[in-house]
Amino acid sequence: MTDYVSGTITRIYESKKATYLNFGEDWHSDFSITIPAKYRRSVKPQLAALKAGSKVEVRGVIHEENGPMMTLTHADNFEIR
């Protein structure tokens, strides 16, 4: 089942393994999007335009990992509003 989530990014964190887009102050319990490093290239133009306060819409499957999380693997599933 595909879920749709829209909201405002509160924090962006980039590590070697992934980029994380957080939608709340507590990433342990608030909704987050993770973009694994191997997929960053496909969303590079969108990532360059993102900052805290950006409104986004994503499509994918929500799973539990330190709170609700969606893993983004395709640029088609991500839109800046």
Side-chain angles (χ1 to χ4, degrees), residues 5-32:
V5 175
S6 62
T8 303
I9 303 292
T10 58
R11 183 172 179 234
I12 301 168
Y13 175 74
E14 192 164 321
S15 73
K16 284 184 176 183
K17 292 183 176 185
T19 298
Y20 299 92
L21 308 177
N22 298 315
F23 286 74
E25 295 303 317
D26 182 10
W27 61 270
H28 288 289
S29 60
D30 294 323
F31 181 75
S32 297

Side-chain angles (χ1 to χ4, degrees), residues 41-67:
R41 180 175 283 169
S42 72
V43 295
K44 190 173 182 175
Q46 290 100 323
L47 286 177
L50 281 180
K51 61 184 186 293
S54 294
K55 295 183 187 298
V56 299
E57 182 177 294
V58 294
R59 292 176 296 283
V61 177
I62 296 173
H63 60 278
E64 188 67 29
E65 184 179 328
N66 291 325

